[in-house]
């Protein structure tokens, strides 16, 4: 099947991201990743790139394989399942309050614009499993910091926090305990 995925570069993928000033509130420069999903070759390029970085990190951490890819509600779900397939890992969601059935554990956190609660199903990660956390964007780090706490509380090992976009000016990676990588900086 003809495809231009080989000619797509991360720089080209970055150029697809649109910026909206004052959304969803004044003072926020919103980075929109959805235009990437209008171009299958761009998505393919990005997922392959995330998978390569993750495999390199698992190798250098000498942890064996990534057992679990945890995706963060909601835009982390755009990347998590595809990445999990590439890594031969299971996919587990971390969701906002009240969305997951059965026994869960919760963690309250501060984000760029407001307070929120994240939850994970209690049996989703087994003690000692190697976990990669993926999300579309790192801003203040509140969301991913809460996700790390949930993973650690279930006995998982955070091998890598992976983001498509990092808003470097907000210094979010300072509040994360695990190794952190982003594909693009703004
Ligand atoms: O580093 P932080 O300051 O915590 O911010 C980053 C988080 O904020 C956004 O999600 P949001 O909570 O807006 O939810 P959404 O994905 O459902 O839009 C983004 O997708 C990250 O998950
Ligand atoms: N500036 C931003 N753009 C897109 N998503 C975000 N989530 C938190 N901050 C954001």
């Amino acid at each position: 099947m003809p495809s231009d995925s080989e000619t797509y570069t991360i720089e080209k993928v970055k150029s697809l991201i649109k910026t909206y000033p004052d959304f969803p509130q004044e003072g926020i420069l919103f980075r929109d990743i959805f235009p990437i999903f209008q171009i299958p070759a761009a998505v393919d390029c990005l997922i392959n790139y995330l998978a390569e970085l993750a495999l390199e990190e698992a190798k250098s951490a000498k942890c064996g394989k990534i057992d679990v890819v945890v995706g963060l509600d909601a835009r982390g779900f755009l990347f998590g399942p595809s990445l999990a397939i590439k890594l031969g890992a299971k996919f587990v969601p971390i969701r906002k309050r009240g969305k997951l059935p059965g026994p869960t554990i919760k963690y309250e956190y501060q984000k760029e614009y407001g307070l929120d609660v994240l939850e994970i199903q209690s049996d989703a990660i087994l003690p000692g499993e190697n976990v990669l956390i993926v999300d579309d964007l790192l801003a203040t780090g509140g969301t991913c910091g809460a996700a790390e706490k949930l993973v650690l509380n279930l006995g998982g090992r955070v091998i890598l926090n992976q983001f498509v976009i990092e808003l470097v000016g907000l210094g979010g990676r300072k509040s994360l305990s695990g190794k952190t990588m982003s594909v693009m900086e703004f």
Side-chain angles (χ1 to χ4, degrees):
M1 189 175 71
S3 156
D4 60 351
S5 62
E6 278 145 44
T7 59
Y8 237 90
T9 62
I10 286 298
E11 278 311 305
K12 265 173 88 178
V13 176
K14 184 175 179 182
S15 73
L16 298 172
I17 289 164
K18 282 185 74 177
T19 301
Y20 294 88
D22 299 324
F23 181 87
Q25 63 189 49
E26 219 181 310
I28 302 288
L29 210 49
F30 191 88
R31 309 290 182 178
D32 183 18
I33 52 159
F34 281 107
I36 297 171
F37 289 87
Q38 294 185 17
I39 303 176
V43 182
D44 197 42
C45 169
L46 183 53
I47 298 290
N48 284 334
Y49 192 74
L50 289 168
E52 275 168 30
L53 290 178
L55 287 170
E56 276 169 27
E57 184 51 35
K59 202 170 161 190
S60 77
K62 296 188 169 58
C63 67
K65 71 182 284 291
I66 300 288
D67 302 305
V68 189
V69 172
V70 165
L72 306 187
D73 193 349
R75 284 169 273 161
F77 299 168
L78 296 166
F79 305 100
S82 314
L83 185 56
I85 290 167
K86 296 252 177 219
L87 299 176
K90 61 184 183 183
F91 172 75
V92 165
I94 283 187
R95 298 217 62 187
K96 304 272 172 67
R97 183 205 318 252
K99 301 283 186 184
L100 289 171
T104 64
I105 58 168
K106 301 177 179 49
Y107 198 88
E108 190 178 73
Y109 68 106
Q110 181 76 44
K111 40 179 224 175
E112 198 182 4
Y113 29 86
L115 266 186
D116 224 326
V117 173
L118 287 183
E119 282 184 70
I120 190 169
Q121 286 169 316
S122 305
D123 61 357
I125 294 173
L126 304 175
E129 281 188 320
N130 293 325
V131 177
L132 180 154
I133 298 174
V134 68
D135 204 358
D136 67 321
L137 182 141
L138 174 63
T140 65
T143 307
C144 189
E148 281 187 327
K149 299 276 188 333
L150 290 171
V151 169
L152 295 172
N153 285 349
L154 292 182
R157 300 170 60 206
V158 178
I159 303 301
L160 185 61
N161 296 311
Q162 225 178 16
F163 301 92
V164 175
I165 295 174
E166 179 173 359
L167 305 182
V168 280
L170 294 175
R173 65 167 62 214
K174 280 194 271 188
S175 53
L176 302 179
S177 58
K179 171 112 192 222
T180 300
M181 271 180 199
S182 58
V183 176
M184 306 163 194
E185 295 184 348
F186 282 89

